[in-house]
Amino acid sequence: MKALIKKKNILLLIIIIFIILFSFGLKLYNIKKINDASPDWRASDYRQIDKVIRFGYSKQNILVEMEVDKKIWPLSLVKEEQRKVDNKIYRLEGTPSPYAFNQHYFVTSELVTSIEYEKTKKFNIKVYALKEKKAEEIKTFSLLNSVKNYNSDYTPWDIDNLLEYEGDTYIKVKIDSKNGKGSTTAYVNLETEKVEEIPVTENKNDSKYNSNLFFTYTNFTKQQQTLSVYYDNNNSIFTLANPYGNDVSNIYMLKKYPELKNSVETTTAFDIQLYESVSADELAHWLVPKKKNPYQDIILQGKNSNDGKEHRINSIEDFNKFYKTDKT
């Protein structure tokens, strides 16, 4: 009798072990199936704000320090239902999270969109109010619904920047036609969450405009191993970042604004917006060590010059002389 009970216990133990091993093997198989599947969908999560610094004349310039963007979502962060599209299992590939900010607001997004961006399943916006030293979350809404309510033939796939018009703040949104009519731009009011028609003009007739493109169309950032610079033509401001992780500990800007030193030296996940009046030449000198020539070995490639030839650039005046302005 004891022998029979012992055999039954052993058999039960074997069954239990088999079930455990089978379940574990099935889990590994499903994970492998997900990892090996075609990455037909991209996904991103909200960016988190770590710090806000206001600096410069009247504290009008702003630095926002963010957590490092999640380039790839770990499987543990992806819900099972998000892995399935049309009853098929797919791997969600991470993509940088679209975000934008100005002196008053920071918007970040979570989205699930197809690899070619022709179809969007989710596009949510989280809005923060930027206070003196921190960000305060104030609302979340569906950008997908905002665009759908405006025109159901279009879907959003990216956000560009924030604009102010008659006291309201708008998100500049890139939208794409579901019917092959191409892409266009929409402006979503942060307060009403609705797409509205607003007059938006680029300041290309501004005499400073060409000069400010010096950072975009020369090898300045790469040659000087410094911060990258983007000129926002809608808002007429410079945006600075360090996407390449360059060592910028000796640049003059950190001597001029020492409160930025820790953020700029220790993380690549920050953006700086300059609202005070700064010329391209002044900014070029800020982004190299004091007394260093910012125009050393700076090149304008032939594809960006008005005569199709490569030019050495020794000043902003040189850039304005040779830059091809009629880009279309």
Side-chain angles (χ1 to χ4, degrees):
M1 188 69 177
K2 289 183 179 181
L4 182 60
I5 293 174
K6 187 176 182 181
K7 285 182 179 180
K8 286 183 178 180
N9 289 340
I10 293 174
L11 181 60
L12 181 61
L13 181 61
I14 292 173
I15 292 173
I16 292 173
I17 292 173
F18 174 79
I19 292 173
I20 292 173
L21 291 176
F22 178 79
S23 299
F24 182 70
L26 184 62
K27 184 176 181 179
L28 289 179
Y29 170 77
N30 285 332
I31 290 175
K32 185 178 185 303
K33 191 175 180 181
I34 293 168
N35 285 332
D36 292 344
S38 175
D40 285 347
W41 296 88
R42 287 193 173 104
S44 71
D45 204 356
Y46 294 120
R47 296 289 290 262
Q48 301 299 315
I49 303 174
D50 293 333
K51 187 186 298 183
V52 176
I53 300 175
R54 297 182 182 273
F55 65 98
Y57 179 72
S58 298
K59 301 288 185 180
Q60 58 185 316
N61 304 322
I62 187 168
L63 176 147
V64 175
E65 183 180 317
M66 298 160 276
E67 68 171 356
V68 176
D69 203 5
K70 300 182 181 73
K71 297 296 184 184
I72 301 294
W73 277 17
L75 289 178
S76 60
L77 298 182
V78 182
K79 295 180 181 178
E80 183 68 31
E81 61 268 23
Q82 291 178 315
R83 300 176 190 169
K84 293 181 179 179
V85 181
D86 300 328
N87 295 320
K88 296 180 181 178
I89 295 179
Y90 292 90
R91 178 169 64 90
L92 288 179
E93 184 177 87
T95 189
S97 174
Y99 67 93
F101 71 97
N102 62 10
Q103 291 172 305
H104 310 292
Y105 298 101
F106 181 98
V107 298
T108 178
S109 55
E110 66 164 354
L111 69 101
V112 177
T113 183
S114 58
I115 288 293
E116 299 301 327
Y117 297 107
E118 77 278 4
K119 185 177 180 182
T120 301
K121 286 174 62 66
K122 176 194 291 186
F123 204 139
N124 294 331
I125 294 290
K126 184 177 289 187
V127 183
Y128 291 88
L130 295 180
K131 303 299 184 181
E132 182 65 28
K133 295 183 180 180
K134 64 179 182 178
E136 181 181 293
E137 182 180 336
I138 56 176
K139 68 190 301 185
T140 301
F141 68 94
S142 171
L143 191 62
L144 201 61
N145 288 342
S146 296
V147 173
K148 182 180 179 180
N149 292 336
Y150 167 71
N151 189 330
S152 59
D153 288 337
Y154 284 88
T155 185
W157 58 273
D158 198 7
I159 60 177
D160 194 343
N161 54 19
L162 298 184
L163 297 94
E164 302 284 338
Y165 177 69
E166 294 188 345
D168 289 328
T169 301
Y170 294 83
I171 312 175
K172 184 178 180 180
V173 183
K174 297 176 182 178
I175 61 176
D176 198 35
S177 170
K178 299 176 183 178
N179 301 318
K181 297 179 181 179
S183 299
T184 186
T185 300
Y187 298 91
V188 178
N189 188 311
L190 273 191
E191 183 176 352
T192 66
E193 302 171 14
K194 295 180 179 179
V195 174
E196 298 178 10
E197 303 288 343
I198 62 172
V200 177
T201 57
E202 293 191 339
N203 302 310
K204 290 188 176 182
N205 293 325
D206 187 336
S207 60
K208 298 180 180 179
Y209 175 72
N210 286 348
S211 299
N212 295 337
L213 297 180
F214 163 79
F215 304 98
T216 302
Y217 291 107
T218 69
N219 63 335
F220 177 81
T221 298
K222 182 177 180 181
Q223 178 61 35
Q224 301 297 353
Q225 291 293 294
T226 189
L227 300 179
S228 64
V229 180
Y230 164 73
Y231 180 64
D232 178 351
N233 193 41
N234 292 131
N235 294 303
S236 300
I237 59 171
F238 287 112
T239 297
L240 287 65
N242 192 10
Y244 309 110
N246 292 329
D247 180 2
V248 295
S249 56
N250 292 323
I251 65 174
Y252 174 64
M253 187 176 186
L254 298 188
K255 304 292 190 297
K256 182 177 177 66
Y257 301 115
E259 61 267 41
L260 306 181
K261 190 174 179 64
N262 186 62
S263 294
V264 172
E265 288 185 1
T266 59
T267 178
T268 60
F270 69 85
D271 277 5
I272 296 171
Q273 290 184 351
L274 299 177
Y275 287 86
E276 65 180 293
S277 179
V278 181
S279 71
D281 182 68
E282 285 178 301
L283 185 55
H285 282 85
W286 287 9
L287 297 179
V288 297
K290 190 174 183 179
K291 296 184 179 180
K292 180 180 178 180
N293 176 15
Y295 303 105
Q296 182 177 338
D297 299 324
I298 300 302
I299 300 294
L300 176 67
Q301 293 184 352
K303 65 180 181 180
N304 296 318
S305 71
N306 51 26
D307 61 3
K309 297 179 182 179
E310 182 176 286
H311 293 277
R312 287 286 296 272
I313 302 299
N314 298 302
S315 64
I316 295 296
E317 289 72 24
D318 274 357
F319 176 77
N320 289 337
K321 178 180 178 181
F322 295 113
Y323 171 66
K324 183 179 179 180
T325 58
D326 58 341
K327 288 177 175 293
T328 57

